[in-house]
Amino acid sequence: MFTKALVLSPALLLGFLLTVCGHALAEGNSGVKALARIVEQSERLTYQASGVYIRPSGMLAFDLEHDGLSERIIEKGVVIKHIVTTPQLKAIVFPTLNKRILEEGRLNYRPLHHLNQHLERGLESYQLLLSEEPSQLAGKAVQRLSVIAKTPDKYSYVYWVDLQTGLILRTDTVNEQGALIERKVFTSFTLNETGSLPLITSQPFTDEWQRLQFTKKLVSQFKLGWLPPGFELFLIESIEGLAAENCERLVLSDGFALIEIYSCKNEQSATLRVGRSLDALHIVKRKIAGQVLSVAARLPYEVINKVIENIKVKAYD
């Protein structure tokens, strides 16, 4: 399944996805309308699911409990992460690590939501295609929404969406060579009543929480010398917290994918990411002017490496 291939042109990649999907794909407003519908339905979903990650480094089974703002990820019967996301903050608990993180003011990124909000820009770099006929997945009628990169420096995605609920049952990530590099698929799911999963934010935030405050900035101390086609600077944030002394975060966007650039004096906190890195996600580090830079994105490694190699410190007169 996961084998190297010749680099495919966008046209050949489209042909590959047509073969994988097994049905004709419709262009035009159908994909745009489907995207808006999926985003809207996802806001109301409350469910329990079992699934598996499939990628070159191996397979990982998991269980998931999702209730509006709250989500728990379970592996081998143990809760490894509990997340609550609101417009103002994101609270993350890692019970097995005895770690709690409270992020205030940070941009919370959800790929399809981001694309739906920045559709005009996103369609400059991606093509939205919808399968004309539904098919079956795990006994459910599904329709596939494909987000296909127009250039080989980005990944393409195929989302298998339950027609009844709008829940994404399977997500395939296809690299610039046309090879499947990551798959997340639900093997079963059950819809629940809203409010079945407790919010960890109902607990008081004490000193046990690692607090990180993200504040928007107008100017960065770094100059970006090269960006992949379609990407531009989206956001600059300063980060204050116990483990984030003198840190900065730059977010680049092409309307769908993000590139995150962190700079910190403390190498340990340079990424400010806690969790498992999957095969589609690459993180590259570099030291420059007493700072540790960390660039993270779901893009080909060569692209991320070129971005970080061309970052310079701004010179001021």
Side-chain angles (χ1 to χ4, degrees), residues 146-279:
S146 300
V147 184
I148 301 176
K150 295 181 179 180
T151 55
D153 47 23
K154 300 177 175 67
Y155 292 150
S156 298
Y157 299 83
V158 183
Y159 299 93
W160 305 58
V161 185
D162 177 36
L163 283 176
Q164 182 177 3
T165 64
L167 179 64
I168 298 175
L169 300 182
R170 170 175 153 184
T171 303
D172 287 357
T173 304
V174 180
N175 71 6
E176 72 280 10
Q177 297 174 323
L180 178 65
I181 57 172
E182 187 176 292
R183 173 174 292 165
K184 174 185 175 183
V185 58
F186 287 159
T187 54
S188 64
F189 77 93
T190 304
L191 296 180
N192 296 332
E193 294 292 331
T194 301
S196 60
L197 187 61
L199 295 176
I200 56 177
T201 50
S202 62
Q203 304 176 11
F205 295 123
T206 67
D207 292 338
E208 297 178 3
W209 289 81
Q210 176 186 336
R211 293 171 176 265
L212 296 173
Q213 179 68 50
F214 292 75
T215 305
K216 290 183 180 179
K217 295 177 57 179
L218 297 178
V219 180
S220 170
Q221 61 181 311
F222 296 101
K223 180 180 179 181
L224 306 176
W226 179 87
L227 298 179
F231 277 89
E232 65 179 15
L233 183 60
F234 182 74
L235 181 67
I236 307 173
E237 295 174 325
S238 63
I239 310 171
E240 297 179 359
L242 293 177
E245 184 178 357
N246 298 319
C247 289
E248 183 177 274
R249 176 181 183 235
L250 283 74
V251 179
L252 316 177
S253 172
D254 64 358
F256 178 48
L258 292 190
I259 299 175
E260 297 178 276
I261 303 174
Y262 294 92
S263 66
C264 292
K265 288 187 176 181
N266 181 354
E267 183 171 0
Q268 185 175 1
S269 63
T271 61
L272 295 177
R273 304 179 69 97
V274 180
R276 181 176 287 102
S277 296
L278 302 183
D279 292 76

Side-chain angles (χ1 to χ4, degrees), residues 273-287:
R273 304 179 69 97
V274 180
R276 181 176 287 102
S277 296
L278 302 183
D279 292 76
L281 173 68
H282 293 109
I283 301 175
V284 181
K285 290 186 178 183
R286 174 191 173 200
K287 290 186 177 180

Side-chain angles (χ1 to χ4, degrees), residues 27-76:
E27 299 187 60
N29 291 331
S30 58
V32 173
K33 292 180 180 178
L35 172 64
R37 183 176 66 252
I38 294 168
V39 169
E40 181 183 3
Q41 288 179 304
S42 68
E43 301 290 350
R44 304 190 298 267
L45 287 175
T46 298
Y47 59 89
Q48 291 178 293
S50 296
V52 62
Y53 281 112
I54 306 173
R55 51 193 190 274
S57 59
M59 298 177 60
L60 174 67
F62 65 90
D63 295 306
L64 185 69
E65 298 175 351
H66 181 93
D67 186 354
L69 303 175
S70 189
E71 184 171 277
R72 275 203 292 245
I73 301 172
I74 304 166
E75 296 178 9
K76 298 179 180 180

Side-chain angles (χ1 to χ4, degrees), residues 226 261 284-288 293-295 303-312:
W226 179 87
I261 303 174
V284 181
K285 290 186 178 183
R286 174 191 173 200
K287 290 186 177 180
I288 178 173
L293 291 183
S294 174
V295 178
V303 174
I304 304 304
N305 197 50
K306 188 173 181 180
V307 169
I308 200 170
E309 286 180 346
N310 287 275
I311 296 177
K312 308 293 182 183

